[in-house]
Amino acid sequence: MKCSVFIATSADGYIATLDGGVDWLHTAGNLDADISNDDMGFHDFMGSVDCMIMGRKCMEMISQMNLTPEQWPYGKMPIYVLSKTLKDAPYNLQGKVEMYSGEIKLLIRTFEEKGYKSAYIDGGFTITSFLNHGLINEIILTKIPVLLGEGTPLFGNVNKKLKLEKTEVKSFKNDFYQVKYGVNYL
Amino acid sequence: MKCSVFIATSADGYIATLDGGVDWLHTAGNLDADISNDDMGFHDFMGSVDCMIMGRKCMEMISQMNLTPEQWPYGKMPIYVLSKTLKDAPYNLQGKVEMYSGEIKLLIRTFEEKGYKSAYIDGGFTITSFLNHGLINEIILTKIPVLLGEGTPLFGNVNKKLKLEKTEVKSFKNDFYQVKYGVNYL
């Protein structure tokens, strides 16, 4: 199964401030630029995946957003949340996500047996873990033009030897840019 | 005086491995790609600066390279090396660099009084220090398609509020890419 990352980081590589905050995402960049018709590739990316695996913190952040059904960005995709400790999803995500405490490779096999072909992998710890298992095939990073100085880094201690390749970059009118990589494990 | 950064980092934002190594710079990317005619903007950048300020570690790395006069990439530009402890430059850099232990803003003023207009600022600690003084105006990052997992980050604890702006990106045949930012202090 193809596994892809689509995530935003600060220019210095953080996905959140130390207290988990992501408000800086909404105040960064050129706010005068009209990007109302540009979702920076999210719709196209969502069309390329058919299931999702995220970490617990990522789920908790989504839960705190208290999204209405109209705001829910993940359609009807099955979503598994990795957690060794949490048994039940928060009340407002029940029926939308499944908790999973088992092995990652077993989860991938289960998805494959059900016919899923392309997974959206989200959350810093989960992404690093997938990289160390040699499972991420594609990384799309939206880089936000701000330096946080400290926070939760996107990439933790990746110890798998790999090359990023087929680099593609594009910038947006609001001073954000996006880089897309394939991943080649050595 | 305009102050510019031109530096390479891994995709996860490190300028060196924990032991100071930069060998990964030479093995990263698509080694089959012919980039013999592409210096990824270094010559043009060098034409845009007339003096240089770097940190001690950066100087020591250059010293260890034992460059011949033909390999020396900085021309006849004056180079000041910031260090609170080291009084003398290494033997092979004497006559090429000046040690400086004073205040950064005073050094900038000295350069300005001598008529210099555009400084190349190099070294992670020095760059962070200049950012925190609100002195960096332009950042050109060459991003190497590799994840180091750990190392010396380019950006340390930047505590100055700023926006990166006028984002420009370009990719190269060897899967490197480069992003250029202006810096707007808030």
Side-chain angles (χ1 to χ4, degrees), chain A residues 29 145 163-164 167 175 177 181, chain B residues 29 145 163-164 166-167 175 177:
Chain A
K163 277 195 172 197
L164 303 171
T167 307
D175 289 331
Y177 77 86
Y181 291 117
Chain B
K163 278 196 172 198
L164 303 171
K166 298 176 190 152
T167 307
D175 289 333
Y177 78 87

Side-chain angles (χ1 to χ4, degrees), chain A residues 4-8 40 45 138-142 178-181:
Chain A
S4 301
V5 170
F6 188 101
I7 199 165
M40 291 184 273
F45 175 74
E138 178 184 69
I139 299 176
I140 302 169
L141 301 181
T142 304
Q178 201 167 68
V179 53
K180 181 177 174 177
Y181 291 117

Side-chain angles (χ1 to χ4, degrees), chain A residues 11-12 27 29 131 145-147 149-150 155-158 162-167 169-171 175 177 179 181, chain B residues 11-12 27 29 31 131 145-147 149-150 155-158 162-167 169-171 175 177 179 181:
Chain A
D12 47 353
T27 55
L131 282 165
V146 68
L147 296 174
E150 58 183 9
F155 295 112
N157 200 327
V158 177
L162 57 84
K163 277 195 172 197
L164 303 171
E165 56 182 26
K166 297 175 191 155
T167 307
V169 284
K170 67 192 289 193
S171 57
D175 289 331
Y177 77 86
V179 53
Y181 291 117
Chain B
D12 46 354
T27 55
L31 301 175
L131 283 165
V146 68
L147 296 174
E150 57 184 9
F155 296 112
N157 200 328
V158 177
L162 58 84
K163 278 196 172 198
L164 303 171
E165 56 182 26
K166 298 176 190 152
T167 307
V169 284
K170 67 192 289 193
S171 58
D175 289 333
Y177 78 87
V179 54
Y181 292 117

